[in-house]
């Protein structure tokens, strides 16, 4: 008998009908002779609504209480799902992250899983139950407080459980038919990818393709867990994310030169204006940011003006950390020494990802030409071996993504990508 882990995102369980539909799918998997563990997200936009609510009572809620609040969303869906399955005549038990043995560090709002001890899940499976686990949450090892894993964290819960239970596959059910060459909400002609390597998927996820979370893909690569991303609304095969290409017919699927285009409008840009051009300045700025436990993304330093010996340093970071970063820099202004700070949250990032970039000259040139033909101005550039990213105005992002997608021949000439549900929030 095989063991499968299935994860259903918020849009798949958005209402009672959705929960009943998903329950039927889960029962099918069980009837096919599998042991089934289900990880479920909060219904629809519940997590966003809880965040809005918290902000109405306190502008800076304490991390411990914030996590306690947010985990309530997944508790609702897990219990309802277990009820719906029982109603179909099958046994199911729901478990919180803590009960399922998801042990984390104690960094509230973005805790990392450090161990998974799924004893209770195993017992429940051995008794013939379907086990339903609340995604996105755990319990901290030292303080025993309830933690959350960061937005979209149910993907990580699913892969971590799949690894701990030695599952054959981790199925991620969502509101699109798999991983596409671009976000189907932006590019109607995006194509479904049959297979993608962990490496390319990591870059897409890190560049904003929220269909899979970066940490989840990292985890899957470390433990070599194949992920199958697919729709909970259709019966179609989705996208396999794994180390080795899958077989189609008697041939292996080939690695694409370009896997896709990702975009991200969740970042902001801070420019530190008038920084003395001498050793140690960049170090002082980024030490301040690091001490505030804020992750940054791109960094650019301008050439200093000869007359003044002053330069500007810009960097990007999650918008949600903008306020704290500005406060931290202002506090250390005397030590660092700069004139002023500029904050810009109207930026967007567009990234082209593909392992073939390493060996195909001209990819960068074609990428910039596509943006220029679309009349899009580039503000920052960064590259890795298999990715090129640029920062532009946020308003330009949809047009820029479509232009790059077409320029690299990624447009489908047959199907339109289907988005089955969700609000895209
Ligand atoms: P869930 O609630 O199931 O976790 P998410 O909203 O987190 O779903 O992720 C699914 C969404 O990811 C899709 O509706 C789509 O808009 C978005 N997305 C972004 N990039 C891609 C991509 N390359 N392929 C597929 N979906 C993508
Ligand atoms: N409910 C959480 C969120 O909206 C976790 C998840 O859906 O993966 O971010
Ligand atoms: Mg998600």
């Amino acid at each position: 008998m095989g063991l499968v882990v299935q994860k259903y995102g918020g849009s798949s369980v958005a209402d009672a009908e959705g929960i009943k539909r998903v329950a039927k799918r889960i029962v099918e998997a069980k009837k096919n002779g599998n042991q089934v563990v289900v990880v479920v997200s909060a219904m629809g936009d519940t997590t966003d609504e809880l965040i809005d609510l918290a902000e109405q009572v306190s502008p800076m809620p304490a991390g411990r209480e914030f996590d306690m609040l947010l985990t309530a969303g997944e508790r609702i869906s897990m219990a309802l799902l277990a009820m719906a399955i029982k109603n179909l005549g099958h046994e199911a038990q729901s478990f919180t992250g803590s009960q399922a043995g998801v042990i984390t560090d104690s960094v509230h709002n973005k805790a990392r899983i450090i161990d998974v001890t799924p004893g209770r899940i195993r017992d429940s499976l051995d008794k013939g139950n379907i086990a339903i686990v609340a995604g996105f949450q755990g319990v901290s090892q030292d303080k025993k407080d309830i933690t959350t894993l960061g937005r979209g964290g149910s993907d990580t819960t699913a892969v971590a459980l799949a690894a701990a239970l030695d599952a054959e596959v981790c199925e991620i059910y969502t509101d699109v038919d798999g991983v596409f060459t671009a976000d189907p909400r932006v590019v109607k002609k995006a194509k479904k990818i049959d297979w993608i390597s962990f490496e390319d998927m990591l870059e897409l996820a890190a560049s904003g393709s929220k269909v899979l979370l970066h940490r989840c893909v990292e985890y899957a690569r470390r433990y070599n867990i194949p992920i199958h991303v697919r729709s909970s609304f259709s019966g179609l095969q989705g996208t396999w994310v794994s180390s080795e290409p899958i077989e189609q017919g008697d041939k292996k699927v080939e690695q694409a030169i370009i896997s896709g285009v990702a975009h991200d409008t969740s970042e902001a840009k801070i420019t530190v204006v008038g920084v003395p051009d001498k050793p140690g300045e960049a170090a002082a700025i980024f030490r301040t940011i690091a001490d505030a436990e804020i992750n940054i993304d791109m960094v650019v330093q301008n050439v200093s003006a000869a007359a003044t010996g002053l330069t500007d340093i810009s960097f990007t970071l999650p918008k949600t950390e903008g306020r704290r970063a500005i406060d931290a820099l202002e506090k250390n202004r005397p030590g660092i020494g700069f004139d002023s700070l500029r904050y810009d949250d109207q930026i967007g990032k567009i990234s082209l990802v593909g392992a073939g970039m390493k060996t195909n000259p001209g990819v960068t040139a074609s990428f910039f030409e596509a943006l220029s033909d679309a009349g899009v101005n580039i503000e920052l550039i960064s590259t890795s071996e298999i990715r090129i990213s640029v920062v532009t105005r946020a308003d330009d992002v949809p047009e820029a993504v479509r232009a790059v997608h077409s320029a690299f021949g990624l447009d489908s000439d047959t199907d339109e990508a289907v988005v089955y549900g969700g609000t895209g929030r």
Side-chain angles (χ1 to χ4, degrees), residues 5-316:
V5 173
Q6 301 189 328
K7 177 254 170 178
Y8 292 89
S11 49
S12 298
V13 291
D15 51 20
E17 279 317 304
I19 289 175
K20 289 197 272 184
R21 185 174 47 81
V22 163
K24 279 195 201 135
R25 264 204 111 106
I26 296 168
V27 166
E28 281 311 309
K30 169 85 180 167
K31 281 191 188 156
N32 287 339
N34 297 296
Q35 288 191 312
V36 187
V37 177
V38 176
V39 173
V40 68
S41 293
M43 295 169 71
D45 290 332
T46 301
T47 308
D48 291 290
E49 287 155 15
L50 292 173
I51 293 173
D52 290 348
L53 203 53
E55 280 166 359
Q56 287 172 45
V57 280
S58 160
M60 284 278 209
R64 182 183 185 280
E65 304 314 324
F66 196 60
D67 279 354
M68 196 61 110
L69 175 71
L70 295 196
T71 54
E74 269 71 10
R75 272 200 183 214
I76 296 173
S77 50
M78 74 181 199
L80 289 171
L81 191 53
M83 291 175 198
I85 292 172
K86 284 194 188 217
N87 192 47
L88 296 174
H90 288 259
E91 286 308 314
Q93 279 187 323
S94 64
F95 297 90
T96 63
S98 166
Q99 290 175 323
V102 180
I103 317 284
T104 71
D105 63 18
S106 47
V107 183
H108 285 293
N109 305 330
K110 49 180 177 186
R112 272 184 182 275
I113 297 177
I114 48 185
D115 197 10
V116 183
T117 51
R120 291 192 67 182
I121 303 297
R122 277 227 185 274
D123 286 349
S124 187
L125 292 174
D126 290 345
K127 292 194 181 105
N129 295 318
I130 294 167
I132 316 284
V133 180
F136 165 65
Q137 53 179 271
V139 60
S140 65
Q141 193 168 47
D142 48 357
K143 297 194 188 130
K144 305 284 178 274
D145 278 330
I146 297 301
T147 52
T148 62
L149 308 177
R151 297 308 306 272
S154 299
D155 293 348
T156 317
T157 306
V159 169
L161 273 172
L165 293 164
D166 204 13
E168 282 172 12
V169 57
C170 180
E171 296 185 320
I172 304 274
Y173 285 93
T174 184
D175 54 13
V176 288
D177 280 314
V179 180
F180 283 72
T181 48
D183 185 343
R185 285 179 207 271
V186 175
V187 183
K188 289 275 159 256
K189 290 178 176 171
K191 275 189 283 209
K192 187 177 81 190
I193 301 170
D194 293 324
W195 168 78
I196 183 168
S197 66
F198 284 130
E199 283 66 32
D200 279 24
M201 192 62 232
L202 268 177
E203 289 281 356
L204 281 178
S207 308
S209 298
K210 71 167 180 165
V211 61
L212 280 185
L213 203 73
H214 182 252
R215 271 190 192 173
C216 137
V217 187
E218 246 174 14
Y219 215 103
R221 180 171 65 166
R222 188 173 339 131
Y223 293 95
N224 202 15
I225 304 291
I227 302 179
H228 187 188
V229 183
R230 56 195 306 195
S231 167
S232 71
F233 298 80
S234 80
L236 298 175
Q237 273 284 311
T239 302
W240 284 88
V241 188
S242 59
S243 50
E244 286 299 317
I246 55 162
E247 314 242 329
Q248 250 176 9
D250 50 8
K251 278 209 296 269
K252 290 214 163 189
V253 174
E254 283 193 18
Q255 166 102 50
I257 294 176
I258 299 296
S259 283
V261 187
H263 71 275
D264 189 357
T265 47
S266 70
E267 293 189 345
K269 179 172 77 173
I270 291 179
T271 303
V272 190
V273 182
V275 182
D277 197 359
K278 62 176 179 22
E281 283 299 313
I285 290 170
F286 292 108
R287 172 52 58 203
T288 301
I289 299 296
D291 286 347
E293 296 204 28
I294 296 171
N295 286 320
I296 55 152
D297 183 13
M298 295 187 190
V299 181
V300 176
Q301 173 169 347
N302 288 344
V303 185
S304 66
T308 58
L310 295 177
T311 182
D312 298 343
I313 295 179
S314 296
F315 61 94
T316 61

Side-chain angles (χ1 to χ4, degrees), residues 342-366:
R342 274 207 302 265
Y343 183 71
D344 179 357
D345 62 4
Q346 294 304 306
I347 61 160
K349 184 171 75 171
I350 298 128
S351 307
L352 184 71
V353 171
M357 214 175 266
K358 281 189 272 198
T359 45
N360 282 271
V363 170
T364 310
S366 307

